Amino acid sequence: MNPLNVQRLSTDLLIIGGGTAGCMAALFAKRAAPSLSVTIAEKAHIRRSGCLAMGLNAVNAHLVSGTPEDYLGYVRHDNYDVVRDDLVLSIGSRLNSMTAEIERLGVPFPRTPKGEFLSRSPRSILMHGEQLKPLLADAVVSSGVTALNRSPAVRLLHNAHGEVCGALLYQMRANAYSVITARAVMICTGGATGIYRPSNPGLARTKTWYCPYNAGAGLAMGLRSGAEMTSFEMRFVALRTKDVIAPTGTLMLGTGMRQCNARGADYTRQKEDMLGRKLTTCERLLFTIQEHKQGSGPCYVDISGLDRGGYDLLIESYLNMAPSIVLHLLKDIARPLRRVEICGSEPCINGGHGMAGFWIDKDRRTTVSGLYAAGDAAGGAPKKYITGCFAEAQMAVEHFLSCEDAGARTAAAADIESALQEASLPLQVDSSLACTDVEERLQKIMEEYAGGSTQNYETSRDKLLLARSYLEELEQRSRAMSAATPHDLMRTHDTSDRILLARVLVEHLLARRETRWPCYQTRLDYPLRNDLEFKAFINSRMQGGRITVCKRGTAPPYTNEPLEDA
Ligand SMILES: Cc1cc2nc3c(=O)[nH]c(=O)nc-3n(C[C@H](O)[C@H](O)[C@H](O)COP(=O)(O)OP(=O)(O)OC[C@H]3O[C@@H](n4cnc5c(N)ncnc54)[C@H](O)[C@@H]3O)c2cc1C
């Protein structure tokens, strides 16, 4: 089973991850410079991979009305003033042109009789999104991009100056490695799920909200290469329909229906009346959890007020993105469900809904030379969704094309050798430790000590210190994970990446000694927001195998501020 073949490849631009951002980046690059050699390395298959394969029915970031500044104002408010204004604004100014790109691919949009997009909020329009990924993939292939499917990247490669200049890929079908060198590398591998225990058990355990195959490989590779990360502690937890995990936004934004507790009380409206403003996204979840704690759960979205036309529209919308909820709603076809139970998902880290990811500049360069990041892998700009991911891909490509100095780079032989050795370790160890056992232990630690869903997403210093030491132990033991098949080998890499990300996440959670985004980040020992000390980013890096954490200001030049030990 040991992959003996090591193939050598080279390209101008290597894009790791052929999902939303990756495919669009490849397309933009080829459109602007047809003679450029562009390669996508994709773990699955670009036709159906990543978040878009989870289904979608709306463009969640489109300016129906308002300006990019209004969009920034909304993102800031929803994230309690800790966001990268420069990144959010740069996204905001391109959102609608990205919707035009989606139309250009041939994706149908429902329209009003006047021909306008059907909107469900000032920043969201309906779309028949089911075909977006295959259409995007077709456009990528016909533009002349090389797509290496079923070829997960496992390590970044560096030249003698420590600049990123390629990657080591594992070609699963051929059971061979590829050393691919490039003038620049772009990480588009999305965020990470599977760090916390999934809410569904057994064979349904991969029915998570976030794409279960996004194990955070790009983030882990970046950390190993010394890249700075931001805001891991701002985990994202989706408020979703229970078990089938369909979006509640479709029920509430799309239909105007409201959340209620088990006794029928509209608790979100009560809170809004009390606060005199609209709830933020994390407050909708927080108040749902509070209803449970007070004995008024479970909570629901009550759709009994929907007329026949509204119900049909809801079903159509769900068929586009989450067909399993349609089976659930229409289980008894004579008596369709009128109340849909809702709950929080398992926490994940991502920079598309949340803002965990690479610390980047306005050109989407990471802190490591030669390495860009875009989409859910890039941090600092929450609520970017599909169109924001496209916009970031475009900005990264524009910068790469403008750089004359991004010349040919050669990977150092010693770097290739050590990458190959590390990547092959699970094939050489003589042990019966399976990655599934390690993953279960990881998820148990994170669930119980680092604020999983069964802990109401809450944690505290002492729990986090235990998580830290258990994770260090687990990382040591995980070196004995063995792999017998190509699939096992890929999963051992996923598990190692998840452990590393969990360790970094715990350091971030320890460092933020306040509660800024309730449920996404709740410290029971510091229950209040502390603007004086923590209206700041928590950032991290790996240095000599150690994780170091720092605090950065929220305005340019994002000065590094002192951070007390946890
Ligand atoms: C369930 C769900 C529903 C959503 N619905 C909507 C919606 O209706 N509207 C909206 O605007 N936004 C929606 N979003 C958000 C939006 O889909 C994401 O923000 C966006 O698709 C992320 O794009 P990305 O390119 O960063 O990641 P992805 O599209 O997930 O791409 C990551 C790619 O990297 C690949 N990969 C992973 N590891 C490796 C590796 N080691 N080597 C090579 N490749 C690798 C994956 O296979 C995948 O193809 C939704 C998200 C989710 C999870």
Side-chain angles (χ1 to χ4, degrees):
M1 153 65 204
N2 206 348
L4 295 175
N5 277 339
V6 180
Q7 211 185 1
R8 303 271 172 162
L9 304 168
S10 82
T11 187
D12 290 320
L13 177 61
L14 172 63
I15 298 167
I16 302 181
T20 313
C23 281
M24 207 51 157
L27 208 54
F28 283 136
K30 265 306 210 188
R31 201 189 284 165
S35 61
L36 199 74
S37 141
V38 179
T39 302
I40 295 178
E42 165 55 44
K43 178 183 189 177
H45 194 293
I46 62 166
R47 255 187 100 73
R48 291 281 183 198
S49 68
C51 293
L52 291 188
M54 308 291 290
L56 72 161
N57 60 4
V59 174
N60 284 343
H62 175 95
L63 303 183
V64 179
S65 56
T67 62
E69 287 74 18
D70 297 330
Y71 167 70
L72 170 62
Y74 159 70
V75 176
R76 264 179 156 208
H77 167 73
D78 210 66
N79 294 279
Y80 302 98
D81 289 331
V82 180
V83 297
R84 281 277 300 274
D85 290 7
D86 57 340
L87 302 182
V88 178
L89 257 184
S90 66
I91 287 173
S93 62
R94 294 180 186 226
L95 288 175
N96 292 13
S97 63
M98 295 301 123
T99 305
E101 291 288 348
I102 300 177
E103 276 209 288
R104 192 169 159 178
L105 288 169
V107 177
F109 283 80
R111 290 182 181 270
T112 64
K114 283 186 179 163
E116 288 157 350
F117 290 126
L118 264 185
S119 62
R120 51 180 207 179
S121 87
R123 289 165 303 275
S124 177
I125 54 173
L126 292 178
M127 165 179 63
H128 293 297
E130 197 276 331
Q131 280 299 303
L132 173 53
K133 194 72 205 296
L135 286 169
L136 184 56
D138 287 349
V140 164
V141 172
S142 53
S143 72
V145 170
T146 304
L148 302 173
N149 291 307
R150 301 186 185 89
S151 303
V154 292
R155 287 291 181 276
L156 293 173
L157 297 175
H158 310 84
N159 64 15
H161 309 291
E163 295 165 324
V164 170
C165 65
L168 180 67
L169 314 180
Y170 176 51
Q171 297 207 3
M172 296 190 53
R173 290 280 160 101
N175 185 26
Y177 285 118
S178 296
V179 166
I180 178 161
T181 49
R183 285 165 55 205
V185 177
M186 198 179 294
I187 298 280
C188 297
T189 46
T193 192
I195 293 174
Y196 285 83
R197 192 188 287 151
S199 36
N200 283 316
L203 290 176
R205 64 199 322 278
T206 49
K207 180 126 191 73
T208 49
W209 171 74
Y210 199 61
C211 176
Y213 312 107
N214 285 1
L219 300 171
M221 288 189 291
L223 277 160
R224 292 188 192 100
S225 294
E228 186 166 329
M229 299 289 157
T230 189
S231 307
F232 272 32
E233 77 282 10
M234 189 218 197
R235 307 164 306 163
F236 182 71
V237 179
L239 183 64
R240 288 296 177 267
T241 65
K242 194 160 180 299
D243 301 335
V244 287
I245 318 188
T248 47
T250 307
L251 292 169
M252 286 181 294
L253 285 173
T255 64
M257 298 297 117
R258 306 283 296 181
Q259 284 171 229
C260 63
N261 66 18
R263 292 161 206 158
D266 183 342
Y267 59 95
T268 50
R269 182 159 295 162
Q270 286 168 2
K271 296 288 180 198
E272 284 182 346
D273 290 346
M274 197 179 80
L275 295 168
R277 61 165 172 80
K278 282 209 165 304
L279 300 184
T280 59
T281 314
C282 65
E283 281 172 344
R284 287 193 167 275
L285 175 65
L286 170 73
F287 295 132
T288 304
I289 302 284
Q290 280 183 1
E291 291 299 318
H292 278 269
K293 283 184 172 173
Q294 289 159 11
S296 326
C299 295
Y300 298 88
V301 174
D302 184 346
I303 51 172
S304 55
L306 273 184
D307 60 16
R308 182 59 203 262
Y311 207 86
D312 287 352
L313 202 65
L314 175 67
I315 297 294
E316 186 185 321
S317 209
Y318 269 146
L319 281 173
N320 252 309
M321 87 167 302
S324 49
I325 182 127
V326 177
L327 294 175
H328 182 60
L329 286 170
L330 301 178
K331 206 164 35 186
D332 179 353
I333 197 82
R335 288 159 22 106
L337 271 192
R338 290 291 172 177
R339 228 167 53 146
V340 186
E341 192 179 336
I342 53 175
C343 68
S345 68
E346 50 283 301
C348 65
I349 53 176
N350 82 59
H353 281 66
M355 61 169 184
F358 282 89
W359 181 251
I360 49 172
D361 70 6
K362 66 175 187 15
D363 297 314
R364 275 54 191 178
R365 280 181 298 181
T366 71
T367 54
V368 174
S369 176
L371 191 66
Y372 294 84
D376 283 12
K383 300 199 170 285
K384 64 176 84 133
Y385 308 115
I386 320 166
T387 34
C389 292
F390 284 166
E392 290 203 320
Q394 191 180 47
M395 286 182 263
V397 165
E398 280 171 5
H399 185 269
F400 167 70
L401 294 174
S402 72
C403 284
E404 277 155 22
D405 64 336
R409 289 173 164 157
T410 313
D415 198 59
I416 298 177
E417 192 49 39
S418 84
L420 275 166
Q421 263 184 17
E422 277 180 38
S424 308
L425 195 66
L427 301 169
Q428 279 138 25
V429 290
D430 182 16
S431 118
S432 58
L433 184 62
C435 59
T436 42
D437 299 333
V438 176
E439 200 171 275
E440 269 182 36
R441 174 71 187 141
L442 163 71
Q443 291 170 349
K444 182 173 161 63
I445 297 169
M446 294 303 285
E447 182 67 28
E448 293 173 4
Y449 298 105
S453 60
T454 55
Q455 307 299 309
N456 296 323
Y457 309 106
E458 296 163 340
T459 185
S460 58
R461 178 177 183 271
D462 294 308
K463 284 189 173 187
L464 289 167
L465 290 177
L466 276 177
R468 176 196 270 169
S469 77
Y470 290 148
L471 287 173
E472 277 168 10
E473 217 174 88
L474 185 67
E475 187 163 70
Q476 286 298 322
R477 291 191 53 205
S478 70
R479 292 176 182 277
M481 275 188 299
S482 64
T485 64
H487 188 254
D488 278 355
L489 183 59
M490 185 195 69
R491 293 223 33 205
T492 56
H493 287 302
D494 287 354
T495 305
S496 304
D497 291 344
R498 286 182 168 125
I499 295 175
L500 174 58
L501 298 183
R503 286 186 54 213
V504 175
L505 169 56
V506 164
E507 295 309 318
H508 277 247
L509 286 167
L510 271 165
R512 190 173 282 284
R513 290 188 304 280
E514 62 157 1
T515 295
R516 179 149 297 262
W517 307 284
C519 296
Y520 299 175
Q521 180 268 333
T522 299
R523 283 284 299 260
L524 287 171
D525 44 350
Y526 294 98
L528 301 179
R529 201 165 296 124
N530 175 355
D531 275 347
L532 209 62
E533 280 185 88
F534 287 102
K535 198 166 153 195
F537 294 100
I538 302 291
N539 284 9
S540 56
R541 286 179 62 192
M542 290 258 291
Q543 285 171 316
R546 285 195 57 235
I547 301 162
T548 58
V549 183
C550 74
K551 194 165 82 169
R552 283 192 185 276
T554 49
Y558 309 108
T559 316
N560 206 329
E561 297 170 17
L563 185 62
E564 274 174 43
D565 271 352

